[in-house]
Amino acid sequence: MDGERQCYFNGTIMKGRPNKMFKVQRLKKIIFEKPYLFFLIYSFFIMLFFTQTSPFFAINEWVDSNAFFTVGKGMANGLAPYKDLFEQKGPLLYGFHAIAYCISHTTFFGVYLLESIAMFVNLLLSFKISRLYLAWMPSVVVSLFLPLLILNTSVFGLGDSAEEFSIPFLLTFLYILLKHFKQNSESTFKWSFYIINGVLVGCIFWIKYTLVGAWIGFYLALLFILIGKKAWKELVNAIVFTFAGLLLSSIPWFIYFGIHHAIKELIDVYIKFNLITYASQTSVPVKLVNSALIFGRAFNSILEIKIMFIIGMIDFMFTWKYFQNKNQKWLLFSTVVFLILGVYFGGRDYSYYFLIITPFGLFGLIATGHFIQRSVKQIDLLNKCNWFTLFIIALTSFVLCFGYNSLITYSKLYNKAPIPQQTFAKIMDQEPHPTLLNYGALDGGFYLAADIVPNVRYFESQNIDYKLYPENMDEQNRYIKEGKIQFVVVRLLSPIPLDQVHIPNISDHYRLVSQQDQLIGGATTYRYLLYKKVK
């Protein structure tokens, strides 16, 4: 036939154009030699069991996750964070939850999908980083064991944190940095490196800006190195192109908040409120000491992460298997130190803060893989794909995760009774256009269950002392006094008698219509009260 050839592929004659043979070969290589599809399936599978956003769970019990979803819901319905809904995390995090809300209005299924994609990216980047130093098989094994570090409930919590969604950006930075170190001995980078870095730091900044410490450390070390070399052109390139990347990831948000006339609120809440009100107000030396103390407590509480972190840092810092000169070591060391400092400098001590540091345990896994690889005489075996072996290793990693994460015991598989959020939602759904106030506490998931978009700015109460920021509770009390909402949900820290519940002016417009207890995390029992406006 005109324009066709007979091609041989695995002993079979193939009729058609020659490029068809190469397409088949390429497809075979992608499926059977690259573990991407395997990582994708594995990520969606394991996240079913280890995050409360999974379909296996009725709700995510973590108040922060519910708050993120409520603000994301508001964004999807035309409200602006900070101006219309008061919360203090970054707009990109709320943007993720706006996408999740569009997937499912009354469940966390959309968040589960995003978390699974994030885990897939983590595994993929871990594989690529490992391949810089290890053969194919050890690199896949290292990637499959990374979830053991990330999904530990001591740091992972219930899932859906800002730190969790920041890990893929951090691993991307580590990959392009270590790839450069592997291929170049000089401390000079291409302009594209700085552009990508600027985009990455911008994304992290708009998720939670206290997590940008890794980039601060990198650029501080780079600054001293370039000044020492008098590499002024390289220094200018670093500044200009990084700033260009930062602008690329920031301009959309300034446009968004400009359209909503909310740039002032963006600055006042996301920047000033977090810096002045939310963070502890102590001297810099005290903050440094506190950072060391808080990090030390978190670090010593998780044995497996501590071991991998120490092994990795020793192997990377005190050997020459991974770097070509001291400047490369200083760049990585400064990145690690300043990330830790940025996380804990504010003085707050939440267990999930440590989650963003867990990716550095990857260095320990690589060091272990490197040791095993050197012990294997038939190195060719390590570059061959053995899917049965990988399946066994993946299954082993999956089973071991249960030793560090037992969230599945709080799922619908074990608990069949309706939760307060579902009970109250049925009551509120009887009204044509119900409005709701989550009074005196962070978001308990009632906006989610009833699919209600808040009609007041202070839809929840932040974890801030009243003396530091009285406006939050003063406004919530005003909403009740003026009867601005139809339903009010109140959370009691313990099942106390109703005559001991004191909410200003609640009896003027509202009456109690339902109450129900809820066991959170298998340890704490809250009593929720639902009030309905009657006049």
Side-chain angles (χ1 to χ4, degrees):
M1 294 182 183
D2 183 38
E4 292 191 351
R5 301 286 192 275
Q6 285 188 337
C7 303
Y8 288 86
F9 180 65
N10 287 345
T12 303
I13 296 178
M14 297 179 61
K15 292 185 178 181
R17 298 182 185 277
N19 65 349
K20 287 185 178 180
M21 178 186 70
F22 299 114
K23 288 181 180 179
V24 173
Q25 289 177 321
R26 180 176 176 82
L27 181 62
K28 179 181 177 183
K29 182 176 181 180
I30 291 174
I31 295 176
F32 294 102
E33 295 183 18
K34 295 184 182 297
Y36 306 155
L37 181 60
F38 182 78
F39 285 160
L40 182 65
I41 297 172
Y42 186 66
S43 298
F44 277 84
F45 176 72
I46 62 173
M47 295 307 286
L48 283 171
F49 299 86
F50 302 119
T51 174
Q52 281 199 344
T53 64
S54 157
F56 288 170
F57 296 82
I59 198 171
N60 190 325
E61 297 174 347
W62 190 33
V63 289
D64 284 34
S65 179
N66 285 285
F68 303 158
F69 195 94
T70 299
V71 178
K73 177 193 301 184
M75 291 179 70
N77 285 275
L79 302 181
Y82 319 119
K83 178 186 177 182
D84 300 314
L85 298 172
F86 189 91
E87 246 281 326
Q88 81 271 24
K89 290 297 193 299
L92 180 54
L93 183 63
Y94 301 138
F96 290 153
H97 288 78
I99 296 172
Y101 166 78
C102 293
I103 296 172
S104 175
H105 287 7
T106 58
T107 72
F108 278 102
F109 181 68
V111 181
Y112 156 75
L113 295 180
L114 295 178
E115 283 189 89
S116 299
I117 292 171
M119 179 58 72
F120 164 67
V121 175
N122 294 339
L123 297 183
L124 177 61
L125 290 170
S126 299
F127 173 75
K128 286 183 169 293
I129 292 172
S130 300
R131 283 293 283 140
L132 296 174
Y133 315 107
L134 304 176
W136 191 92
M137 181 67 79
S139 297
V140 177
V141 173
V142 164
S143 303
L144 291 176
F145 275 96
L146 183 68
L148 281 171
L149 306 180
I150 294 177
L151 297 178
N152 189 312
T153 48
S154 297
V155 293
F156 186 74
L158 307 181
D160 190 25
S161 65
E163 285 75 10
E164 179 186 356
F165 285 110
S166 297
I167 289 176
F169 297 99
L170 176 62
L171 285 174
T172 301
F173 168 55
L174 292 177
Y175 171 64
I176 62 175
L177 179 65
L178 294 172
K179 183 180 179 181
H180 174 85
F181 289 165
K182 183 74 174 179
Q183 298 174 348
N184 302 275
S185 60
E186 296 296 324
S187 299
T188 56
F189 298 87
K190 296 180 179 178
W191 64 270
S192 57
F193 174 88
Y194 294 122
I195 289 281
I196 294 172
N197 242 349
V199 172
L200 292 173
V201 72
C203 290
I204 291 290
F205 182 87
W206 296 116
I207 291 176
K208 185 178 180 180
Y209 65 74
T210 57
L211 305 181
V212 301
W215 285 268
I216 293 175
F218 168 77
Y219 279 102
L220 278 177
L222 184 65
L223 175 66
F224 287 116
I225 290 171
L226 294 180
I227 290 177
K229 291 183 174 182
K230 297 183 179 180
W232 309 118
K233 181 180 179 181
E234 176 70 15
L235 181 59
V236 171
N237 286 341
I239 295 172
V240 171
F241 289 114
T242 301
F243 184 70
L246 179 61
L247 280 180
L248 285 175
S249 56
S250 299
I251 287 176
W253 291 116
F254 286 112
I255 293 175
Y256 170 83
F257 285 101
I259 292 173
H260 286 272
H261 307 286
I263 292 180
K264 180 181 182 299
E265 287 78 8
L266 168 68
I267 296 172
D268 287 346
V269 178
Y270 185 53
I271 307 297
K272 293 181 180 179
F273 178 83
N274 283 318
L275 283 176
I276 298 172
T277 306
Y278 197 72
S280 62
Q281 300 304 307
T282 56
S283 64
V284 172
V286 172
K287 286 188 174 184
L288 290 173
V289 173
N290 285 340
S291 298
L293 291 172
I294 298 171
F295 170 73
R297 284 196 297 268
F299 186 67
N300 286 315
S301 65
I302 313 165
L303 180 62
E304 62 281 359
I305 296 178
K306 178 170 68 173
I307 291 174
M308 286 296 103
F309 185 92
I310 292 174
I311 290 175
M313 293 307 294
I314 290 176
D315 199 40
F316 271 69
M317 292 294 107
F318 295 99
T319 70
W320 291 103
K321 298 195 291 282
Y322 311 100
F323 301 113
Q324 301 185 48
N325 55 60
K326 290 182 179 179
N327 286 341
Q328 293 181 347
K329 290 188 176 184
W330 278 115
L331 285 167
L332 181 64
F333 181 75
S334 182
T335 296
V336 176
V337 170
F338 275 85
L339 175 63
I340 295 171
L341 188 61
V343 168
Y344 293 109
F345 194 72
R348 297 213 168 228
D349 186 7
Y350 292 116
S351 59
Y352 61 87
Y353 279 12
F354 194 85
L355 181 59
I356 192 64
I357 301 169
T358 58
F360 292 115
L362 175 65
F363 296 156
L365 293 174
I366 291 174
T368 304
H370 198 279
F371 173 78
I372 296 173
Q373 181 172 289
R374 291 183 61 184
S375 304
V376 176
K377 294 182 180 180
Q378 294 178 302
I379 193 67
D380 289 343
L381 294 176
L382 298 178
N383 280 312
K384 291 183 178 180
C385 173
N386 187 326
W387 286 106
F388 177 75
T389 302
L390 288 181
F391 176 78
I392 297 301
I393 292 172
L395 182 61
T396 301
S397 175
F398 168 69
V399 173
L400 289 176
C401 280
F402 284 107
Y404 306 103
N405 185 319
S406 58
L407 289 181
I408 194 65
T409 59
Y410 307 123
S411 69
K412 291 183 288 188
L413 301 176
Y414 289 81
N415 304 279
K416 307 295 185 181
I419 56 178
Q421 290 82 357
Q422 295 170 332
T423 302
F424 292 1
K426 290 181 179 179
I427 297 173
M428 290 184 280
D429 286 345
Q430 296 174 8
E431 303 297 324
H433 301 289
T435 55
L436 173 66
L437 174 65
N438 191 106
Y439 179 84
L442 286 165
D443 193 332
F446 296 92
Y447 294 107
L448 169 76
D451 192 18
I452 293 176
V453 178
N455 67 323
V456 292
R457 187 187 188 203
Y458 292 97
F459 66 97
E460 64 177 358
S461 176
Q462 297 289 326
N463 281 331
I464 301 295
D465 188 274
Y466 177 81
K467 295 179 181 178
L468 293 176
Y469 195 74
E471 182 177 331
N472 192 164
M473 285 309 301
D474 287 347
E475 282 295 283
Q476 286 210 328
N477 288 326
R478 182 178 68 84
Y479 302 151
I480 292 175
K481 182 179 180 179
E482 297 177 2
K484 291 181 68 67
I485 57 272
Q486 189 173 11
F487 290 95
V488 178
V489 169
V490 179
R491 188 188 75 181
L492 305 181
L493 297 179
S494 60
I496 62 175
L498 292 178
D499 57 5
Q500 296 182 20
V501 179
H502 300 290
I503 303 173
N505 306 114
I506 190 74
S507 59
D508 293 347
H509 299 287
Y510 300 87
R511 67 175 177 86
L512 183 67
V513 293
S514 185
Q515 60 179 302
Q516 186 175 336
D517 294 346
Q518 184 176 21
L519 183 64
I520 302 294
T524 304
T525 298
Y526 292 133
R527 173 163 293 174
Y528 287 101
L529 310 178
L530 178 64
Y531 291 88
K532 182 180 179 181
K533 184 179 178 182
V534 293
K535 58 180 178 178

